[in-house]
Amino acid sequence: MKAIIVGLGSMGRRRARLLHQFDHTIPIFGIDMQEARRKQAELELGIQTFGSIKEACMKYAPDIAFVSTPPLSHPSIIRECLNQHLHVFTELNLYDIGYNENMELADSNGLVLFLSSTFLYRREIQYIKDAVDNCGCRLSYTYHAGQYLPDWHPWESYQDFFVGKKETNGCREFMAVEFPWLTDVFGQVKAVHSICSRDSSLQIDFPDTYQIIFEHESGHKGMACIDVVSRKAVRRFELSGEHLYLTWNGTPDSLFRYNFETKEELPVSLYSTVDRREGYSPFIIEDAYTSEIVNFLNVVKGEEHPRYSFEKDKIVLSIIDKIEKVREKQK
């Protein structure tokens, strides 16, 4: 099996690094139009790089592709990879542009079209899901996920990064990351209500804060605050009901469950070791990124099913579209 990584920014290099760590026998080739990024990847990763997918495919006939470019470029790149008969792993798309066409193309060619949703692979999320499924009561949650936009990629201006653009803004990115696991844990959304605002001096043309209320078909309810204003990167989750109370602050060591008998909050230990990279938020651990790469490889081999799908993402994106429409109504 041979792999190409399309897009050699921070995420593309992460995918290449983790793929090599998991299986160093898989040859990896990088694709990027920017020469500076190609040189950086060659130095950091020791891989051969190319300026186009076609060039790499003609020379090495790869089997799989990872698409790690800005979201709006994904549809055409995915289509090109499928036309080269490659199984495709893609990062979040943020819009369902080309979904139906690319799903049909993958199906007709017998190829895997795999969509990243990294939080579904976090052990804390899997624990929370199991606790919710077995609690025997209706639940309510509050969740705050936020980080100051200039801190996302401190090595470049947020205005040059896709999360600083109106179409692919940071709040939409946050929602696309968080909503798949919230709907997986609590069920499909029956109704959603939201308000948004501009609370910062950031040079952006989109709301920087959303307050959202969810009603799930399961009967569970939740409130979420999504923002790109919080000067401290935060993921703060609280879940309560008659038979369950737990909290999680987004890190592997911050999951606590309340013991009703002893009246104390007890830590839930799920990791013996955690793989982290210097310079990233404490919420970002490499373990989950590796787990979804492994899931993709096993789906390609026919040994597993994907935890997420383009079909599920269409539903999530439709919820985000509805939430974003509130900004037009509030003008």
Side-chain angles (χ1 to χ4, degrees):
M1 184 180 291
K2 289 175 281 189
I4 60 171
I5 310 289
V6 186
L8 296 173
S10 60
M11 183 57 76
R13 298 197 307 277
R14 166 185 276 141
R15 295 297 182 189
R17 184 182 67 252
L18 294 177
L19 179 60
H20 179 76
Q21 288 177 5
F22 173 70
D23 188 345
H24 69 276
T25 68
I26 297 177
I28 300 171
F29 307 98
I31 314 293
D32 204 294
M33 294 178 64
Q34 296 185 33
E35 184 179 359
R37 285 190 171 180
R38 294 200 303 272
K39 288 183 176 179
Q40 183 180 11
E42 289 168 0
L43 288 171
E44 285 184 13
L45 305 167
I47 62 174
Q48 187 174 354
T49 66
F50 298 89
S52 71
I53 295 169
K54 182 179 180 180
E55 186 181 0
C57 289
M58 287 180 63
K59 188 166 185 179
Y60 288 106
D63 307 285
I64 59 176
F66 290 81
V67 179
S68 299
T69 56
L72 291 182
S73 67
H74 289 181
S76 61
I77 293 174
I78 291 170
R79 183 167 60 252
E80 182 177 358
C81 289
L82 292 173
N83 282 327
Q84 292 286 349
H85 301 285
L86 303 175
H87 301 287
V88 177
F89 177 114
T90 177
E91 312 294 349
L92 292 176
N93 299 305
L94 299 187
Y95 289 92
D96 64 0
I97 301 167
Y99 270 32
N100 291 337
E101 295 83 355
N102 283 333
M103 285 190 292
E104 290 173 6
L105 181 58
D107 185 61
S108 64
N109 287 335
L111 297 168
V112 171
L113 186 53
F114 187 101
L115 181 57
S116 167
S117 189
T118 311
F119 264 68
L120 289 174
Y121 296 83
R122 289 287 293 263
R123 297 179 194 177
E124 304 96 308
I125 300 299
Q126 295 168 34
Y127 180 91
I128 293 169
K129 178 177 173 61
D130 185 65
V132 169
D133 289 344
N134 292 285
C135 73
C137 66
R138 288 189 176 182
L139 300 163
S140 296
Y141 63 85
T142 59
Y143 188 41
H144 178 198
Q147 184 180 17
Y148 192 48
L149 195 63
D151 293 341
W152 285 39
H153 276 192
W155 55 85
E156 64 180 332
S157 169
Y158 65 87
Q159 293 176 308
D160 297 329
F161 185 23
F162 71 81
V163 294
K165 313 296 183 184
K166 181 178 180 180
E167 295 78 11
T168 54
N169 68 82
C171 285
R172 188 176 181 93
E173 166 86 356
F174 252 132
M175 287 186 260
V177 169
E178 307 294 347
F179 290 3
W181 79 260
L182 288 173
T183 54
D184 185 61
V185 169
F186 296 105
Q188 290 301 322
V189 172
K190 180 172 123 178
V192 60
H193 315 274
S194 64
I195 59 173
C196 64
S197 58
R198 282 277 303 278
D199 298 332
S200 72
S201 59
L202 292 170
Q203 300 301 302
I204 55 177
D205 58 353
F206 55 87
D208 54 32
T209 304
Y210 284 85
Q211 306 287 344
I212 307 160
I213 297 176
F214 291 114
E215 296 179 65
H216 295 274
E217 292 179 356
S218 60
H220 304 312
K221 299 176 293 296
M223 296 183 293
C225 174
I226 302 291
D227 73 68
V228 294
V229 179
S230 179
R231 295 308 301 259
K232 178 183 178 181
V234 60
R235 276 187 166 96
R236 186 171 293 117
F237 178 77
E238 181 180 27
L239 177 64
S240 62
E242 188 177 9
H243 305 307
L244 178 65
Y245 178 88
L246 60 79
T247 60
W248 181 50
N249 287 340
T251 60
D253 58 355
S254 63
L255 181 61
F256 285 79
R257 185 166 181 167
Y258 187 72
N259 186 304
F260 296 111
E261 294 182 357
T262 63
K263 308 299 182 186
E264 52 184 345
E265 290 187 72
L266 302 175
V268 179
S269 180
L270 300 173
Y271 300 84
S272 56
T273 60
V274 176
D275 184 10
R276 280 198 177 100
R277 292 284 291 182
E278 185 178 349
Y280 282 93
S281 163
F283 308 129
I284 298 176
I285 61 173
E286 305 294 88
D287 308 66
Y289 289 101
T290 299
S291 294
E292 65 178 348
I293 289 173
V294 174
N295 185 210
F296 168 60
L297 296 177
N298 287 334
V299 172
V300 170
K301 295 174 185 175
E303 298 173 356
E304 291 182 5
H305 295 289
R307 293 193 186 174
Y308 199 52
S309 68
F310 280 69
E311 291 86 352
K312 290 179 180 178
D313 201 51
K314 287 180 69 174
I315 298 172
V316 167
L317 292 175
S318 70
I319 296 168
I320 297 173
D321 288 342
K322 184 175 181 179
I323 290 169
E324 282 201 327
K325 282 180 181 177
V326 74
R327 72 186 181 194
E328 305 300 328
K329 295 177 182 178
Q330 290 180 198
K331 286 183 178 179

